[in-house]
Amino acid sequence: MDKPFAITLDPGSSLANHTGSWRTARPSYVDHLPPCNQGCPTGENIQGWLYHAESGQYEAAWRVLVQDNPMPAVTGRVCYHPCEGACNRARLDSAVSIHAVERFLGDEAIKQDWQFARPPALSGKRVLVVGAGPSGLAAAYHLARLGHAVEVREAGPMAGGMMRFGIPKYRLPRDVLDAEIRRIEQLGVTIRLNTKVDHLLKARDEGGFDAAFVAVGAHVSKRAWVPAGEAARIMDALSVLRSVELGEKPLLGRRVLVYGGGNTAIDVARTARRLGAEEAVIIYRRTRDRMPAHDSEVQEALDEGVMFRWLSTIKMGADAGAREQFTIEKMALDESGFPQPTGEFEQIEADSLVLALGQDVDLSLLDDVPGLQLTDGVVGVGSNMMTACPGIFAGGDMVPAERTVTVALGHGKKAARHIDAWLRGEAPDVPEKHPVAPFERLNTWYYTDAPRSVQQELERVRRESTFDEVVSGLNADTALFEARRCLSCGNCFECDNCYGVCPDNAVIKLGPGKRFKINLDYCKGCGLCAAECPCGAIEMVPETI
């Protein structure tokens, strides 16, 4: 039978011609750092665990996640998700709700009782961790996974640190926190409660520890001098939150003033509403756009009836009988944005004033440690998280950094890696960092429109009268949908586009999870595969002779 006119070659004969000799550039599969991964303070492989989640392999996703973060059910609730601020999808429609999927995986792990993989045989080294907050717990977890015996000493009656005594229950239910702490203990970590360390080196030496990680939280409230006469109802925010956590009901009254502009000020005002205050008013020296509290927290407070007095400061308080009377001065921002007094005053009556002006760390346990660099109430550490005293490491609120739960967890992870290296007398493994995957390399038209999944919130009446959790989580269906919104920026996810568009059949599939390779004998270097890759995982590089 004669061949059709258009066919001039035998099937497969084009491959025999080795048309790759025409090439001046060749395609190369590359890996880029997803911007979400780069933005995560704990260094999570977010794109990696989302890859499993979007296939419904939730346990596999959780196991990738907890390689870096042992408390995903906590961080899925309280982290301010800088990963989402970096997400490339935000420029397409809206960022992937990474924190919501993370929370779902953490909750599913608690529900299904997934446990951490058993650590290797003990190394024979013992590490003391001071403080059972997020940084100390993370360090203990990662050190245990590396085979070291870890003892955590906590001055308080319960583990959790500021996660427990600084974050109200309506944001972080205690059964969730307890479950994730318990899983760390089941890994073999010893947590000793009501055990305050007064002298670090003495505790280290008497306990026979080979190294120590200090992660004491900022539990000491900063004070402001408010001339108050006989006024007695002036208290600090942390004392209020701690009392509520311990089951006590602070006497705040029906009208409460909160002085400060951070997240703690928001938390204590919202707590006051739940304790029965008819009015909770936050007094802040600057405007809303300059408030250090996260905007989402401010909005939730407004939704719950919390009021704000912007550009105001408290000058004094005096006993006005049944209530205290406070003098408020109006402020004005100068050209640099710094608040300046105006001399305009106003009297406000309230039952109590709560000061939420920041927190300090009690560093007295370090008095017996020589050579430390202490500046502005924090401890100087090197890039390896070690202080100037060999074998003494520090992290969390104790070192210069942003004070959030996720940053503290990242410090614990980083410190554990360096403590392990120091105990072994070796340099730590430093993974290679790939260039960040930019939005401009994506072929966004390949991705369908997919609106972000919305987490439901409690109705206002319950939010103002109970400590029930305000924001609900995703279910299996919405978590799956949200995970599939990931664009896999900069890394091949085996969509087969390159395989389908190659005019020379030069792309070879290596099997599920193994990606592809290029048969360079037949690739002409046309660049069609690189041009049509949705996620920018192929680059054309000059051919070398």
Side-chain angles (χ1 to χ4, degrees):
M1 180 177 177
D2 293 335
K3 298 176 182 177
F5 176 76
I7 298 179
T8 58
L9 297 173
D10 293 328
S13 64
S14 62
L15 299 182
N17 292 332
H18 283 221
T19 53
S21 60
W22 305 353
R23 191 176 57 245
T24 59
R26 68 170 64 188
S28 175
Y29 288 93
V30 295
D31 287 306
H32 287 90
L33 178 64
C36 57
N37 291 25
Q38 184 191 42
C40 178
T42 64
E44 287 181 19
N45 182 8
I46 295 172
Q47 191 181 99
W49 57 257
L50 279 175
Y51 177 82
H52 292 293
E54 68 183 39
S55 301
Q57 299 174 357
Y58 297 133
E59 182 174 358
W62 177 80
R63 294 200 177 278
V64 172
L65 199 168
V66 298
Q67 290 176 12
D68 301 296
N69 173 15
M71 309 187 82
V74 170
T75 53
R77 288 171 165 84
V78 305
C79 178
Y80 296 107
H81 36 81
C83 54
E84 294 177 27
C87 177
N88 277 331
R89 178 136 201 158
R91 295 176 61 179
L92 181 60
D93 44 31
S94 57
V96 177
S97 188
I98 298 168
H99 77 281
V101 183
E102 181 171 291
R103 169 179 167 171
F104 169 79
L105 294 175
D107 287 351
E108 191 69 8
I110 295 172
K111 179 181 176 182
Q112 302 295 339
D113 196 29
W114 295 335
Q115 297 296 316
F116 297 134
R118 296 183 63 85
L122 289 177
S123 65
K125 301 292 185 180
R126 302 181 69 239
V127 182
L128 170 65
V129 173
V130 183
S135 198
L137 290 170
Y141 163 75
H142 289 287
L143 286 165
R145 290 179 67 228
L146 291 166
H148 305 300
V150 187
E151 181 177 309
V152 182
R153 296 187 181 179
E154 165 59 42
M158 292 176 280
M162 294 301 289
M163 294 184 292
R164 186 180 299 277
F165 295 108
I167 300 177
K169 297 176 183 178
Y170 61 79
R171 288 180 57 203
L172 179 57
R174 296 308 185 244
D175 58 338
V176 171
L177 176 61
D178 291 339
E180 298 217 298
I181 293 173
R182 186 163 53 249
R183 191 189 293 121
I184 293 174
E185 289 186 278
Q186 291 170 348
L187 196 62
V189 172
T190 299
I191 301 178
R192 300 195 183 282
L193 303 175
N194 298 307
T195 307
K196 184 178 180 181
V197 174
D198 294 310
H199 304 286
L200 179 62
L201 292 188
K202 180 180 179 182
R204 181 198 64 179
D205 296 341
E206 289 182 351
F209 296 101
D210 300 287
F213 177 64
V214 193
V216 176
H219 291 276
V220 181
S221 292
K222 292 181 179 179
R223 304 287 295 185
W225 186 68
V226 178
E230 299 299 320
R233 292 195 191 177
I234 298 180
M235 54 198 87
D236 66 83
L238 287 186
S239 295
V240 171
L241 295 174
R242 183 180 181 87
S243 295
V244 173
E245 178 62 28
L246 295 175
E248 304 166 4
K249 188 174 181 179
L251 299 176
L252 297 175
R254 293 185 177 181
R255 193 177 200 206
V256 182
L257 301 183
V258 180
Y259 189 29
N263 292 312
T264 301
I266 303 293
D267 283 337
V268 79
R270 296 174 69 185
T271 296
R273 291 284 286 157
R274 286 163 169 78
L275 292 175
E278 295 176 359
E279 293 184 30
V281 184
I282 292 180
I283 310 294
Y284 181 56
R285 298 189 303 160
R286 295 180 173 87
T287 52
R288 175 173 176 173
D289 61 309
R290 297 177 180 271
M291 203 174 196
H294 289 82
D295 193 62
S296 60
E297 295 285 321
V298 177
Q299 188 56 55
E300 288 186 9
L302 288 168
D303 292 343
E304 293 172 8
V306 173
M307 294 179 285
F308 289 81
R309 290 290 302 268
W310 312 109
L311 293 171
S312 301
T313 188
I314 294 181
K315 301 300 293 185
M316 65 178 60
D319 192 347
R323 284 184 168 178
E324 318 295 349
Q325 191 170 59
F326 297 93
T327 300
I328 308 296
E329 182 175 10
K330 183 179 178 181
M331 308 295 282
L333 299 182
D334 60 21
E335 293 180 355
S336 64
F338 191 81
Q340 299 291 345
T342 65
E344 298 180 37
F345 298 94
E346 178 184 351
Q347 303 297 318
I348 294 183
E349 288 187 356
D351 296 297
S352 58
L353 168 65
V354 182
L355 302 178
L357 302 172
Q359 296 86 239
D360 290 321
V361 180
D362 181 0
L363 300 178
S364 61
L365 80 162
L366 302 177
D367 289 345
D368 66 339
V369 183
L372 296 186
Q373 300 172 352
L374 305 179
T375 307
D376 296 328
V378 292
V379 183
V381 293
S383 59
N384 60 354
M385 307 300 290
M386 187 162 69
T387 68
C389 182
I392 303 297
F393 298 76
D397 293 347
M398 298 196 70
V399 303
E402 184 181 3
R403 288 178 172 176
T404 70
V405 169
T406 322
V407 167
L409 288 166
H411 285 177
K413 170 190 166 184
K414 183 177 181 181
R417 186 174 75 246
H418 286 286
I419 292 170
D420 174 64
W422 187 80
L423 291 173
R424 291 186 287 105
E426 301 174 3
D429 293 330
V430 180
E432 177 188 1
K433 276 200 172 184
H434 300 293
V436 179
F439 177 80
E440 291 72 20
R441 287 183 57 89
L442 303 177
N443 280 318
T444 55
W445 66 272
Y446 272 113
Y447 301 98
T448 59
D449 293 336
R452 179 181 170 108
S453 301
V454 177
Q455 294 175 264
Q456 300 300 313
E457 296 186 1
L458 278 181
E459 62 273 16
R460 177 168 173 171
V461 64
R462 287 183 61 192
R463 288 171 62 168
E464 294 179 6
S465 59
T466 75
F467 280 85
D468 293 347
E469 188 169 16
V470 170
V471 180
S472 62
L474 303 180
N475 59 35
D477 292 333
T478 51
L480 183 67
F481 176 85
E482 194 60 34
R484 287 176 174 172
R485 295 182 68 238
C486 175
L487 305 179
S488 193
C489 304
N491 295 286
C492 174
F493 61 97
E494 299 180 22
C495 69
D496 285 355
N497 260 29
C498 55
Y499 181 80
V501 302
C502 178
D504 299 308
N505 296 320
V507 177
I508 302 172
K509 298 176 71 169
L510 300 178
K514 298 179 181 179
R515 300 184 178 181
F516 309 87
K517 74 174 182 179
I518 304 294
N519 188 334
L520 294 174
D521 283 339
Y522 314 120
C523 171
K524 297 188 184 72
C526 68
L528 194 57
C529 56
E532 295 300 320
C533 177
C535 58
I538 304 176
E539 290 182 350
M540 297 302 296
V541 298
E543 186 57 80
T544 56
I545 300 177

